[in-house]
Amino acid sequence: MRSLLFLALMLNQKSLTPRARAMPTRLTFIAAVAALAVLIAVTAGACERAGQKADLPAPQPEQKAKNPFEPTKDLPPDFVNSLPIYPGAQIEQVHKPKGAMRQIEFSTKASLAELVDFYKTQLKQRGFRITSALIMAARRTWSCDFQKERMQARVLLYPHDHDKSLMTINLMYELPSTVDPELMEPVENFDVVGPGEYVQKTTTQQDKVKRN
């Protein structure tokens, strides 16, 4: 601050004429103080602007919202919790939904025999009915179709495409129908199985007339 005051005084002395230098020192002091006030105001404004820029938050990169219809590695929000998942299996890919169909691929270090035993046991315990199953031990593959109420599902087991020490679990299922049975048209059931007694009697009389 003292250096600024001294600089202002020096500049003021050099700019004065010999006659002006003879003026009272009070005017010189007032001019120096005015010049110093201008410098302080300019410096304070610059510091304030710099502080405002420093306080501004850094711009954040825009994050695109996840599209629920694109492939991902998260379980679908409408996943049927009654479907068994092998413990420790890692999600490889959740395929793009196709209508009510869902397809999820897992990978695991378990053997084919361990996986087959797990799914056979779990499906029965969870109330699923196995409709068909096929195993090809030479190729280390197993397919199983099962259902429960209005839901159809299938699990395929086969070696991993990139790491043969792993097994792939391909789970496919169809979401159960959400149609309320009360909104469906009732089925009409008739008690009459064949022609009534009157029709049978009339037919018999007509046959007798033809014979005569």
Side-chain angles (χ1 to χ4, degrees), residues 7-8 11 16 27 38 70 84 87 89 95 118 135 166 191 206-207:
L7 178 61
L11 293 174
L16 293 176
L27 295 178
V38 173
E70 291 300 326
H95 292 262
F118 169 80
I135 186 171
L166 301 177
D191 297 333
Q206 291 178 354
D207 293 340

Side-chain angles (χ1 to χ4, degrees), residues 63-162:
Q63 297 181 354
K64 295 183 179 179
K66 290 185 178 180
N67 188 346
F69 298 103
E70 291 300 326
T72 179
K73 287 192 175 182
D74 299 327
L75 284 176
D78 53 5
F79 179 75
V80 181
N81 294 325
S82 59
L83 292 171
I85 298 178
Y86 190 81
Q90 301 294 323
I91 299 177
E92 291 286 334
Q93 187 179 25
V94 178
H95 292 262
K96 183 176 180 179
K98 297 179 180 179
M101 292 298 300
R102 302 292 185 269
Q103 183 177 3
I104 309 172
E105 290 185 8
F106 303 87
S107 64
T108 178
K109 293 183 178 180
S111 64
L112 176 63
E114 292 173 334
L115 293 173
V116 171
D117 181 68
F118 169 80
Y119 277 100
K120 282 184 177 181
T121 303
Q122 288 294 317
L123 290 175
K124 291 180 181 179
Q125 291 181 355
R126 300 185 182 211
F128 288 95
R129 184 171 67 88
I130 297 177
T131 56
S132 65
L134 176 63
I135 186 171
M136 292 188 290
R139 297 186 178 182
R140 297 169 58 199
T141 61
W142 183 68
S143 64
C144 176
D145 294 338
F146 53 95
Q147 64 179 16
K148 182 180 181 180
E149 298 176 351
R150 299 188 301 273
M151 186 179 70
Q152 304 286 337
R154 169 182 293 182
V155 60
L156 301 176
L157 307 176
Y158 51 87
H160 196 275
D161 292 338
H162 305 292

